[in-house]
Amino acid sequence: MKIWLAASFVDTDQFLELARAAERCGFETLTLSDHLFYADFATPYPYSKSGRPRWDARTHWPDVWVTIAAMAAVTTTLRFSPNVYIAPARDLFTVAKQVSTAAVLSRERVTFGVGVGWCKEEFTGTGQDFHTRGRRLDAMLPTLRSLWAGETVALDGLPPLSISPTPSGRIPVYVGGDSEAALRRAARLGDGWIGNRIYTEEQLDPVLDTLRRELDGREIDIIAPLAVLPDADAYRRFATKGVTGTLAAPWWLATPEEKTRYGEGTLELKIATMERFAEEVIAKL
């Protein structure tokens, strides 16, 4: 079972030390989320009952690829992935060049976690069509793979083209989302799937059933945030269902004593809870 560190809502100045600690503690991948700006969104946030985001204008959303490159410079084995990057809110070449460069600078420790997004205002802000985002992502992914492989591609209205630098190995593509369209996309185009909410067993089982049906025997990584207390035995039980990894943010389950000792929101609290998680869970997997 792979353990990914879910590092959303982290202040930007904490990421480098957090990456060092994640590598030391045995986390496989560090993830961070992607948002372009904060506003009074008219688009409902799909993962809260109120339809309001769980963050405000003070919450940090650093650029994903700049942050990954900086973290890669202070680590040697830790992998990095957006959870998830809203590629269809950008043009093809911005995505291709940023991801490829980050993969090269990290010595191929980048996973491309990608999704279609929910926030129409972000698409409006970048001049991209919100309503065709799924179709455009489906068309974008094969072209991105070709460009990252150093191939020359032909696109309408342009001469044959390629990009550089490109990594020597393949960049894994993990598709996020649990709609039927997202699961089909993961099965057809992805090397893995990332869940976009915290799942109870009852919520996850039908998602896995749909994903298996779409995969039709093909195997991919399945990264599912799980609504269970961190426990090696519980994670092993989900592994029998085909789950290959989960996400954890140990500081969200800090004890009252830890909060008092280190202070809520501090880097010290995050590292202390990560070290406890590593001892109690990761070391036993």
Side-chain angles (χ1 to χ4, degrees):
M1 176 73 76
K2 301 173 184 177
I3 306 296
W4 288 21
L5 184 68
S8 299
F9 308 107
V10 168
D11 285 354
T12 305
D13 62 2
Q14 296 182 354
F15 270 106
L16 299 190
E17 288 303 322
L18 202 68
R20 290 188 180 101
E23 184 169 83
R24 184 173 68 250
C25 289
F27 288 89
E28 200 262 354
T29 296
L30 185 151
T31 75
L32 63 166
S33 297
D34 173 41
H35 279 291
L36 289 168
F37 54 80
Y38 179 82
D40 185 13
F41 298 121
T43 308
Y45 179 62
Y47 309 118
S48 70
K49 292 180 180 179
S50 68
R52 302 296 301 167
R54 295 192 293 262
W55 61 90
D56 59 28
R58 297 166 295 179
T59 305
H60 288 205
W61 298 104
D63 180 85
V64 167
W65 302 109
V66 171
T67 309
I68 285 175
M71 291 188 293
V74 300
T75 55
T76 57
T77 60
L78 183 68
R79 294 191 61 84
F80 304 97
S81 176
N83 183 29
V84 289
Y85 189 64
I86 310 306
R90 284 88 169 181
D91 68 271
L92 172 73
F93 298 110
T94 294
V95 177
K97 184 59 71 74
Q98 287 183 324
V99 179
S100 184
T101 303
V104 170
L105 289 173
S106 68
R107 293 178 174 82
E108 301 181 32
R109 288 184 283 139
V110 162
T111 294
F112 187 52
V114 65
V116 298
W118 60 270
C119 183
K120 183 177 180 180
E121 287 85 348
E122 290 185 317
F123 286 76
T124 301
T126 58
Q128 302 295 327
D129 185 7
F130 179 74
H131 299 289
T132 62
R133 65 197 191 282
R135 294 196 299 275
R136 289 188 294 106
L137 180 57
D138 288 348
M140 184 183 288
L141 288 175
T143 305
L144 287 172
R145 286 192 187 277
S146 294
L147 289 169
W148 294 335
E151 298 173 5
T152 298
V153 302
L155 300 172
D156 288 346
L158 293 170
L161 58 90
S162 61
I163 66 168
S164 186
T166 59
S168 59
R170 194 168 185 264
I171 299 174
V173 174
Y174 284 36
V175 176
D178 56 17
S179 67
E180 289 194 9
L183 295 172
R184 283 195 301 271
R185 184 174 297 114
R188 184 164 38 89
L189 299 172
D191 303 296
W193 171 77
I194 308 174
N196 61 345
R197 64 187 78 215
I198 300 175
Y199 299 87
T200 64
E201 193 161 0
E202 293 74 18
Q203 291 169 328
L204 184 60
D205 281 346
V207 173
L208 295 179
D209 288 343
T210 300
L211 189 55
R212 289 190 198 96
R213 184 171 64 251
E214 296 291 343
L215 284 166
D216 194 25
R218 190 169 79 88
E219 293 186 1
I220 63 173
D221 266 354
I222 296 174
I223 310 297
L226 302 172
V228 297
L229 290 174
D231 176 81
D233 288 336
Y235 291 158
R236 289 192 195 97
R237 183 166 57 82
F238 277 94
T240 66
K241 295 173 175 284
V243 176
T244 59
T246 189
L247 288 95
W251 49 90
W252 293 107
L253 296 175
T255 66
E257 293 78 11
E258 287 169 329
K259 291 178 182 178
T260 298
R261 180 176 179 183
Y262 299 106
E264 292 199 48
T266 63
L267 177 63
E268 290 75 16
L269 177 68
K270 292 180 176 68
I271 292 176
T273 54
M274 289 164 60
E275 291 173 342
R276 178 166 58 81
F277 184 96
E279 180 180 345
E280 296 176 355
V281 179
I282 295 176
K284 297 177 181 178
L285 286 171

